[in-house]
Amino acid sequence: MTPTLLAASPLNPLFVKALQTKYSVIGPMSHDALMAHPDRELIEVIAAGGESKVPASMMDALPALKLISVMGVGYDGVDVGHAIQRGAMVTHTPNVLNDDVADLAIALMLSVTRRIPQAHQFVRAGEWAKGGLPLATKLSGMRLGIVGMGRIGQAIAHRAEAFGMPIAYTARSAKSNLPYTFVADIEDLASQVDMLTLITPGGAGTHHMVNAAVLKALGPKGYIVNVARGSVIDEAALVEALQTGVIAGAGLDVFENEPTPLPALLTMDNVVLTPHVGSATDATRQAMADLATANINRHFAGEPLETPVPEC
Ligand code: 8YV
């Protein structure tokens, strides 16, 4: 019999395509519709994306639940504690997206300091023949602060070294194998750098970690780039800091409310915005879909899962 899987939210088409070769995928659907679904008691697997919400109520609707497979490295929408209590595993897709997310972090750093969107628009609008573009800010040599020194943080640091950027970071603990300066407190880190980049997991532990005080510490020549989760920054405080010159600019790929960033961000000249595309290349999304599917295949084959989340 073809196993039925529940999609927690609309899934990436590459994930759906990979799953449909072996499984029947239902959902997303409301709690009531799920409770009434004829396959509900047989469903062992929830398939999810990095931004999906998988609350306890969804898990508890599925008495046979064994696995939540997330196509994404972040899984802050999954109630992992409840999954563990229910005896279900959670898997994600680490490593395969490190390069893309790190590339985008560097791209946002360059875009906001060198004002690439404005330069692009300047040429397109035929302004060039009328005079030069105002000078921009040099990125090479800027002091970089990285919030979160996991796999992607290290990939960003590796790239930043080529830009001659001295690197400091904050994380839960110092990593003795890395040649970068550890700063325990994020406000201290912000006060010591020109460019603060966020690549820490989302969720309650990092909610509004970047607040008005951190932005003040970053200062009027400081920039912030967020490729982590929107929840890590107090977005209202960020808007105020950008409007009043408390910081110089921001490059943002993630927002507190996706897909609707605070309207003020949409019109600011010192902000570069991208629509949560850190891992959005053909090759990487395929690798993520393949890994998320491989974990499900392993579950049904009774084999050890490839990439369980650290808590499991
Ligand atoms: C995607 C992400 O947005 O991996 C993550 O945590 O945020 C992203 O790569 C998403 O998960 C793709 O399904």
Side-chain angles (χ1 to χ4, degrees):
M1 207 176 87
T2 310
T4 300
L5 314 185
L6 174 67
S9 61
L11 299 177
N12 183 288
L14 296 169
F15 195 15
V16 175
K17 196 172 165 208
L19 291 175
Q20 280 175 341
T21 61
K22 288 193 173 173
Y23 309 104
S24 152
V25 183
I26 62 161
M29 65 180 80
S30 68
H31 187 73
D32 289 349
L34 179 57
M35 292 309 287
H37 197 281
D39 288 352
R40 179 178 69 86
E41 296 194 353
L42 302 174
I43 294 173
E44 294 182 23
V45 176
I46 297 175
E51 292 100 66
S52 299
K53 300 267 176 286
V54 184
S57 56
M58 188 186 290
M59 299 181 205
D60 289 344
L62 307 176
L65 182 69
K66 295 284 179 322
L67 171 66
I68 299 158
S69 173
V70 179
M71 179 186 153
V73 68
Y75 50 93
D76 41 293
V78 180
D79 186 341
V80 179
H82 193 75
I84 292 169
Q85 256 178 36
R86 284 284 319 274
M89 295 288 283
V90 181
T91 57
H92 65 150
T93 59
N95 292 317
V96 293
L97 44 56
N98 297 352
D99 284 339
D100 275 2
V101 180
D103 289 352
L104 187 75
I106 298 289
L108 286 172
M109 289 181 207
L110 283 166
S111 294
V112 70
T113 55
R114 300 298 300 270
R115 299 172 55 81
I116 304 295
Q118 290 88 343
H120 177 79
Q121 193 47 38
F122 182 81
V123 178
R124 277 204 163 173
E127 297 287 319
W128 193 6
K130 299 182 206 156
L133 191 67
L135 298 178
T137 303
K138 180 172 177 170
L139 179 71
S140 283
M142 267 192 181
R143 297 166 302 168
L144 176 64
I146 303 180
V147 178
M149 196 37 103
R151 294 168 289 252
I152 305 174
Q154 290 174 45
I156 294 171
H158 185 60
R159 286 158 175 72
E161 284 179 30
F163 287 78
M165 301 175 84
I167 297 162
Y169 69 100
T170 192
R172 274 189 298 264
S173 57
K175 297 186 191 297
S176 54
N177 57 327
L178 297 179
Y180 314 122
T181 308
F182 174 69
V183 182
D185 179 67
I186 187 173
E187 213 174 304
D188 287 345
L189 178 69
S191 71
Q192 294 170 28
V193 301
D194 312 296
M195 173 67 72
L196 191 68
T197 296
L198 314 179
I199 186 60
T200 188
T206 56
H207 186 257
H208 287 191
M209 195 177 178
V210 174
N211 54 21
V214 173
L215 295 166
K216 188 157 180 265
L218 185 58
K221 291 193 166 159
Y223 292 85
I224 192 157
V225 161
N226 190 5
V227 289
R229 284 289 182 264
S231 59
V232 181
I233 304 184
D234 177 343
E235 204 164 282
L238 176 66
V239 166
E240 198 180 327
L242 288 162
Q243 279 170 338
T244 55
V246 167
I247 66 167
L252 306 171
D253 185 48
V254 288
F255 304 88
E256 283 203 85
N257 279 308
E258 296 179 6
T260 46
L262 284 182
L265 289 172
L266 308 184
T267 52
M268 285 182 191
D269 190 50
N270 51 349
V271 175
V272 178
L273 308 169
T274 51
H276 200 149
V277 290
S279 65
T281 66
D282 287 328
T284 294
R285 284 284 165 87
Q286 187 63 60
M288 292 164 70
D290 290 347
L291 182 50
T293 305
N295 279 308
I296 296 173
N297 293 344
R298 280 170 174 258
H299 161 72
F300 283 109
E303 292 166 5
L305 301 173
E306 207 165 319
T307 45
V309 301
E311 296 92 319
C312 283

